[in-house]
Amino acid sequence: MTGETQRKYRADYQPPAYLVDTVELDFDIASDHTRVRATYSVRRNPDAPDASQWRLDGRDMSFVSAAIDGRALAADEYRLHDDALIIANPPSAFTLTVENTIDPEHNLSLEGFYRSGDILCTQCEANGFSRITYFPDRPDVMARYTTRISADAGEYPVLLANGNCVQQGGLDDGRHYAVFEDPYAKPCYLFAMVAGDLGMIRDSYTTTSGRVVDLRLYTEHGNEDQCHHAMASLKQAMAWDEDTYGLEYDLDSYVTVAVGSFNMGAMENKGLNVFNTACIFARADTATDSDFALVRDVVAHEYFHNYTGNRVTCRDWFQLSLKEGLTVYREHQFAIDQGSPGVTRIRQVRAMREIQFPEDGGPRAHPVRPDSYVEMNNFYTITVYEKGGEVIRMIAQMAGREAFIAAVCHYLDKHDGQAVTIEDFVVAMEESTGLDLAQFRHWYAQAGTPRVRVTTSFDQGRLQLTLAQHTPATPGQADKPLFDIPVEVALFDSAGAAVREPEVLRLNDAEKTWTFDGFADEPTVSALRGFTAPVRLEYDQHEQALARLMAHDSDPVCRWDAAQALYLKTLVADVESRREGGAAVTAPELLFEAIETLLDHPPADLELLAEMLTLPSEAMLGEQFDTMDIFAIDAARRDLKQAIATRFAARFEALADTHAAEQAYAFDVAEAGRRRVLALALDYLAAIEAPGIAARAARLYESADNMTDRMAALETLRDLQSPERDRVLTDFAGQWAEYPLVMDKWLRLQATTRRDDSVEHVRGLLADSRFDFTNPNRIRALLGGFVRGNRVGFHRADGAGYALIADEILRLDGLNPQLAAALAGMLTNWARHVPAQAEGMRAALARIAAADLSHNSREIVATGLEYAEAG
Ligand code: TRP
Ligand code: ZN
């Protein structure tokens, strides 16, 4: 690997020595390489202390020449390193011209300029621009870009870059060119260009002020009919941002390109988004309801970045949550306005608890605004994104919706065109809302999930409610300050009527007590309604109270949470008993009664019904223990599922009958809810291998007009030993062989099948022609599916699952370090497992550490192993 592995610190920030006003890029795409000529107008930064040299980042490219004001630099006027070009004693204002070549055909890192199928495209965030040409690759250097691309007209009929196309035409030898001008100054991480033979769908959007925006969405030919939902979602997002924030799109065209090989979901390049096809393609017969929602939300997320991220960007990468937290929050609000509000919020809460809390409680815990990093790509985390979004949500809630929106507009006005910090954002919030956020700022600086303990006492019609906070130490942060925590609370009587309207209590001390008066009987407390703060509630609520909330709480999150808490009581007791070699713990009658009540009086929102009947995930159950035993967790969950399925088999049969499709597929709340209930009923029936279940699922598979029902059928059959299972899987593979994203479902389904030889089975699939090791979607489906969706297989006692993952991380690291590091992250929480599992995971990490690694993987693996010494 090139370059030194150096840790960067937030506190070391220095303003750039030189500023760049304009960037002219000229790309000459040839079959063996691409030649880049870059011309910059440069001036000394008056605010920078030292300007004795100017550093331009650049790696994995061939340097050709550099000239200042047209005069080629002599050998002693610059130094060339593996990862930089350093110019000694530049003048105070000058034009720099640099020439270099790059090789997109052999760039498998999916960073910089690379090939995905028939498409050449770029990915620059966070530091991919330094794989394209020499430039100060940092977001606080903002310039206006002009991009010229020339390429073979037959192979690359479509040429795209940020901004407006101002010129195009033919050249000799069957080549052509196009020139693009982006009128907005931007950091280089928002640069993009694309060349290819592409299909396109087109639409337009007229903004409130009457500007007509040309909307185009490109993909490889033949996929156009999978793009209409994405286009419709874009228009919804554009309208939502106008209605909600008064923000109108600011260019004449908005172009999206979907590519098959992409390291993440999508990228918000100015006026030219590049997307993973997985976040664009959605057609009823190829995509599930969750895929439809994902596409809608990612399309909106990237669109919202146009203001929160592009018009106002980050000063340095430590500030990443400035744009990501705010944009995630905006995306979340958009999603809530489009779908079932309650269930949409429940899914957001679940991501926090099942993925963010473990990150925040493990070796890789870091603040929303990290203090240091080795490899920035390792910090595109659920903490920076989702916890960052929850922090914004708390501010919005304290301010009130209207004041918050006004404050965001104030922030955008005040800093338009600038690269700023999270502190700048918080100051703008304070200025506009009048809030004092001094104590609140800890949410940005401190890692770890605060625990809030709830205790109550009731005496003579008076309820005393005490909230106390405590935050466990995280790596590098031993003593935690007191957080400012908003906890929304409501009180209900035994009949389920509200006796105290929802109210937000501010826990900004170690402990606080509130008194509520005038009750005949002890009221039931509904706490942390809507998940008002990203904290763990420690509240040992009585089962009767939980059943009451489950039946009556007006907040869907608390209602669902009460059901979860009730299931968890049995599950946790059962896991503990098994681990001590005791007998299985069975569910109390009260739990079945609560389910019966729910089935008799289901909520109008069918998705909520399905969520409430879904047992806590293995991840959620694991979070209840300091050290988790995968096998005990799996057994407890399966037993409870079977007990519920046995008790309510007839009800689930009836639910499956009454929730069958009656109309053609539509992606809306009512129909998606109906499909969820159908899938849930089948899942319970499969758990007890109810008579006729395989045939029923096979019939559903054959009759379904959509992928959601078809996947429900496949998942029902997945673990059944029946001829239908194999027949249907084979049929599926035959029918969708030409649809890689659908084949990902097929890969994932097999990786998550419960079988003794699942490790060997996954190894077999790695060699299957339908798998492709250079494509992140395939890897996530097969390996991600196996690790996350087949815990029993992954944690197999002989360690074969860990060995498999270690082998693949080592194989991937030389090709795509970003993805290899992400996979390595799945081993770092080893100390949370019981000794046998922990030792196997740690040994796999140690084996990876012994190899010559990318600094991406090196950072992750080292963090994971340091945990060994600490723990
Ligand atoms: N900024 C992108 C988003 O959240 C995500 C992103 C960051 C990304 N780095 C990337 C996407 C690298 C692809 C590859 O919207
Ligand atoms: Zn984003």
Side-chain angles (χ1 to χ4, degrees):
M1 275 279 113
T2 56
E4 294 231 71
T5 308
Q6 248 197 39
R7 182 166 286 276
K8 296 173 190 67
Y9 295 88
R10 182 167 63 88
D12 289 347
Y13 175 80
Q14 292 291 332
Y18 286 82
L19 302 176
V20 182
D21 294 312
T22 62
V23 170
E24 275 172 52
L25 298 170
D26 187 345
F27 293 93
D28 191 347
I29 299 173
S31 55
D32 53 344
H33 67 270
T34 291
R35 193 188 51 75
V36 189
R37 198 175 72 217
T39 308
Y40 311 132
S41 61
V42 192
R43 63 192 158 88
R44 237 203 98 153
N45 180 2
D47 299 328
D50 175 23
S52 59
Q53 59 174 36
W54 188 35
R55 181 195 160 92
L56 294 87
D57 303 287
R59 52 197 169 120
D60 293 323
M61 60 178 73
S62 301
F63 174 81
V64 176
S65 67
I68 284 185
D69 297 327
R71 186 184 61 79
L73 294 186
D76 64 344
E77 290 175 290
Y78 69 90
R79 285 198 316 279
L80 198 58
H81 297 270
D82 266 356
D83 60 353
L85 168 67
I86 293 173
I87 297 179
N89 295 306
S92 60
F94 59 101
T95 299
L96 179 77
T97 309
V98 196
E99 283 194 41
N100 66 284
T101 61
I102 48 181
D103 182 5
E105 302 296 337
H106 294 103
N107 178 5
L108 294 177
S109 69
L110 313 189
E111 217 185 31
F113 191 40
Y114 70 94
R115 174 175 293 283
S116 170
D118 295 339
I119 309 174
L120 289 174
C121 66
T122 54
Q123 171 55 42
C124 294
E125 188 176 6
N127 297 114
F129 196 75
S130 60
R131 290 173 177 269
I132 293 178
T133 191
Y134 293 97
F135 190 75
D137 191 357
R138 42 186 293 168
D140 56 353
V141 175
M142 298 174 74
R144 271 173 295 114
Y145 282 65
T146 304
T147 308
R148 182 180 188 278
I149 312 170
S150 57
D152 183 84
E155 207 177 336
Y156 304 105
V158 177
L159 304 175
L160 301 166
N162 315 86
N164 306 310
C165 181
V166 294
Q167 217 187 320
Q168 55 185 321
L171 298 166
D172 293 342
D173 299 334
R175 294 173 64 81
H176 71 153
Y177 77 98
V179 181
F180 295 85
E181 264 177 27
D182 183 352
Y184 291 94
K186 65 167 173 283
C188 66
Y189 82 85
L190 291 174
F191 169 78
M193 70 162 168
V194 168
D197 185 1
L198 300 169
M200 189 248 286
I201 67 166
R202 190 168 207 161
D203 206 330
S204 74
Y205 180 83
T206 307
T207 69
T208 316
S209 67
R211 181 202 277 270
V212 180
V213 184
D214 180 30
L215 309 177
R216 280 175 285 149
L217 208 167
Y218 292 90
T219 69
E220 285 179 1
H221 288 289
N223 297 305
E224 295 87 341
D225 60 348
Q226 295 180 69
C227 296
H228 297 292
H229 173 66
M231 182 65 90
S233 301
L234 173 61
K235 293 167 80 174
Q236 278 178 324
M238 294 177 88
W240 187 89
D241 222 12
E242 290 178 356
D243 295 347
T244 314
Y245 286 87
L247 296 173
E248 276 189 25
Y249 187 60
D250 58 1
L251 283 169
D252 298 331
S253 70
Y254 191 89
V255 179
T256 302
V257 180
V259 302
S261 294
F262 204 67
N263 269 344
M264 301 215 220
M267 181 62 213
E268 70 267 21
N269 317 301
K270 184 77 185 186
L272 178 54
N273 286 186
V274 179
F275 270 66
N276 188 326
T277 48
C279 297
I280 290 289
F281 290 177
R283 203 175 66 194
D285 61 336
T286 60
T288 62
D289 291 334
S290 327
D291 297 327
F292 272 76
L294 175 78
V295 167
R296 180 194 65 203
D297 297 345
V298 178
V299 165
H301 177 104
E302 305 312 326
Y303 176 72
F304 297 152
H305 268 316
N306 189 54
Y307 278 91
T308 50
N310 300 4
R311 287 284 287 262
V312 181
T313 194
C314 303
R315 187 191 71 175
D316 55 70
W317 290 121
F318 298 103
Q319 319 297 329
L320 180 61
S321 196
L322 174 78
K323 73 177 177 82
E324 296 304 345
L326 183 52
T327 303
V328 164
Y329 171 73
R330 278 151 51 70
E331 172 205 326
H332 280 181
Q333 294 305 110
F334 167 80
I336 283 169
D337 287 349
Q338 312 299 316
S340 149
V343 173
T344 304
R345 182 63 187 150
I346 286 168
R347 298 210 172 114
Q348 294 163 4
V349 173
R350 207 198 278 132
M352 284 297 294
R353 287 186 178 154
E354 294 180 2
I355 311 174
Q356 201 279 326
F357 285 7
E359 178 168 281
D360 228 351
R364 295 181 60 213
H366 54 274
V368 168
R369 182 186 55 208
D371 291 319
S372 78
Y373 63 78
V374 172
E375 168 55 55
M376 187 53 209
N377 282 320
N378 289 334
F379 283 81
Y380 286 77
T381 60
I382 188 157
T383 297
V384 168
Y385 274 65
E386 252 72 12
K387 186 175 179 181
E390 294 299 322
V391 170
I392 299 285
R393 188 178 186 275
M394 289 190 280
I395 298 178
Q397 184 178 276
M398 287 187 280
R401 189 170 163 91
E402 262 161 49
F404 174 76
I405 286 168
V408 170
C409 293
H410 167 66
Y411 156 75
L412 291 173
D413 279 343
K414 183 180 176 192
H415 296 295
D416 193 17
Q418 299 176 359
V420 303
T421 62
I422 285 174
E423 178 60 21
D424 292 325
F425 173 82
V426 175
V427 167
M429 291 290 111
E430 290 182 317
E431 286 168 352
S432 180
T433 62
L435 288 169
D436 174 357
L437 298 172
Q439 187 186 2
F440 187 83
R441 279 170 171 77
H442 295 315
W443 284 110
Y444 284 108
Q446 292 288 328
T449 308
R451 289 155 194 240
V452 174
R453 176 173 295 281
V454 185
T455 45
T456 58
S457 67
F458 184 73
D459 187 31
Q460 301 190 342
R462 163 184 294 188
L463 179 81
Q464 304 239 55
L465 174 74
T466 299
L467 301 179
Q469 63 169 296
H470 163 71
T471 307
T474 54
Q477 291 183 331
D479 298 310
K480 297 294 179 182
L482 293 171
F483 287 86
D484 185 353
I485 306 173
V487 181
E488 188 179 292
V489 168
L491 304 177
F492 293 92
D493 69 15
S494 56
V499 288
R500 182 94 187 190
E501 290 304 314
E503 178 180 342
V504 178
L505 311 179
R506 285 279 283 280
L507 176 62
N508 46 18
D509 252 320
E511 184 178 313
K512 262 179 148 176
T513 297
W514 287 264
T515 305
F516 304 96
D517 257 322
F519 306 110
D521 302 306
E522 180 166 0
T524 303
V525 180
S526 161
L528 203 69
R529 295 165 62 80
F531 196 63
T532 44
V535 299
R536 272 178 81 137
L537 210 58
E538 296 182 333
Y539 187 11
D540 191 16
Q541 214 161 359
H542 206 275
E543 285 166 10
Q544 269 85 18
L546 292 173
R548 216 172 290 143
L549 293 173
M550 190 172 154
H552 301 293
D553 199 320
S554 51
D555 172 40
V557 173
C558 274
R559 216 179 149 185
W560 161 78
D561 211 15
Q564 295 287 298
L566 205 51
Y567 298 134
L568 279 173
K569 274 186 190 270
T570 298
L571 291 168
V572 168
D574 192 19
V575 169
E576 278 168 353
S577 167
R578 281 168 200 270
R579 287 203 50 200
E580 283 149 21
V585 172
T586 55
E589 201 47 36
L590 184 136
L591 183 144
F592 295 109
E593 285 162 15
I595 293 174
E596 181 142 28
T597 305
L598 184 62
L599 290 169
D600 289 341
H601 306 281
D605 182 348
L606 290 176
E607 284 196 76
L608 180 58
L609 174 65
E611 288 291 350
M612 292 181 69
L613 288 170
T614 303
L615 295 181
S617 66
E618 291 163 38
M620 190 61 207
L621 187 44
E623 272 296 281
Q624 311 307 308
F625 304 93
D626 289 335
T627 58
M628 51 185 142
D629 180 337
I630 295 298
F631 298 100
I633 285 171
D634 175 68
R637 196 170 179 278
R638 287 212 325 157
D639 277 5
L640 181 56
K641 196 167 171 182
Q642 286 176 348
I644 293 170
T646 304
R647 179 72 72 101
F648 296 106
R651 303 288 300 250
F652 288 127
E653 295 276 2
L655 278 179
D657 288 338
T658 52
H659 290 76
E662 283 175 358
Q663 58 171 74
Y665 178 85
F667 176 63
D668 59 38
V669 174
E671 279 293 288
R674 179 190 62 67
R675 285 186 288 269
R676 275 278 284 143
V677 171
L678 170 61
L680 174 106
L682 295 179
D683 187 51
Y684 270 110
L685 293 169
I688 50 168
E689 303 191 15
I693 182 64
R696 185 197 264 272
R699 279 200 308 279
L700 175 64
Y701 174 83
E702 257 120 46
S703 65
D705 73 341
N706 67 84
M707 186 55 81
T708 310
D709 283 342
R710 210 168 279 141
M711 284 307 293
L714 285 168
E715 274 158 16
T716 303
L717 288 166
R718 180 177 55 202
D719 295 329
L720 298 180
Q721 311 289 333
S722 82
E724 279 98 339
R725 175 192 185 273
D726 295 338
R727 184 172 57 74
V728 161
L729 258 184
T730 306
D731 178 88
F732 189 86
Q735 196 172 344
W736 301 106
E738 303 307 316
Y739 289 77
L741 293 175
V742 181
M743 291 308 285
D744 285 345
K745 298 183 191 306
W746 177 83
L747 288 170
R748 189 181 291 272
L749 205 85
Q750 294 179 81
T752 56
T753 299
R754 173 181 292 272
R755 46 192 289 171
D756 295 337
D757 63 346
S758 53
V759 173
E760 290 72 19
H761 195 65
V762 170
R763 281 202 191 270
L765 287 167
L766 284 165
D768 192 291
S769 65
R770 289 160 286 198
F771 181 74
D772 173 1
F773 201 63
T774 66
N775 184 294
N777 290 345
R778 299 304 88 77
I779 292 181
R780 279 187 281 260
L782 186 55
L783 297 179
F786 177 60
V787 175
R788 294 223 173 77
N790 191 350
R791 291 173 184 247
V792 167
F794 175 56
H795 293 280
R796 201 167 84 183
D798 64 1
Y802 311 138
L804 166 72
I805 291 303
D807 288 347
E808 297 312 304
I809 290 167
L810 289 168
R811 184 153 75 105
L812 188 60
D813 195 49
L815 312 179
N816 187 338
Q818 216 172 302
L819 190 59
L823 289 183
M826 301 193 292
L827 290 165
T828 51
N829 256 2
W830 59 270
R832 288 288 308 280
H833 292 260
V834 292
Q837 293 154 23
E839 180 43 38
M841 292 171 83
R842 200 203 57 78
L845 266 184
R847 179 154 74 85
I848 299 168
D852 183 18
L853 293 176
S854 67
H855 46 254
N856 306 58
S857 295
R858 171 71 50 208
E859 179 179 27
I860 301 291
V861 168
T863 311
L865 288 173
E866 276 161 26
Y867 204 31
E869 283 130 43

